[in-house]
């Protein structure tokens, strides 16, 4: 999970990546249940570049 900084007037948000995504930082590493819980929260997005969206969406 990658934490992105706040922008003017907007709260910070999160991006969930698969474990080997080149865009992932050294942030939190989640198991499947944790990832599904996080992506249900407002302000969270799933990376489309690495396939997290395609992997997690069917499981929701």
């Amino acid at each position: 999970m990658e934490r992105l900084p706040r922008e003017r007037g907007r709260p910070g948000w999160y991006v969930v990546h698969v474990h080997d995504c080149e865009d992932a930082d050294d942030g939190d590493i989640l198991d499947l249940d944790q990832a599904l819980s996080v992506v249900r929260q407002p302000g969270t997005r799933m990376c489309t570049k690495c396939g997290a969206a395609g992997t997690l969406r069917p499981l929701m």
Side-chain angles (χ1 to χ4, degrees):
M1 180 174 70
E2 175 185 9
R3 294 179 183 164
L4 299 176
R6 294 175 181 231
E7 295 177 11
R8 267 188 288 179
R10 296 177 62 190
W13 48 286
Y14 301 92
V15 179
V16 175
H17 301 275
V18 296
H19 67 88
D20 59 351
C21 179
E22 64 185 45
D23 288 346
D25 61 11
D26 292 331
D28 298 324
I29 297 175
L30 309 174
D31 65 25
L32 179 59
D33 289 332
Q34 291 170 321
L36 290 170
S37 178
V38 169
V39 299
R40 290 183 179 110
Q41 302 301 315
T44 302
R45 297 184 178 138
M46 294 175 277
C47 181
T48 54
K49 183 176 180 181
C50 69
T55 302
L56 295 174
R57 231 179 236 124
L59 301 174
M60 294 179 66

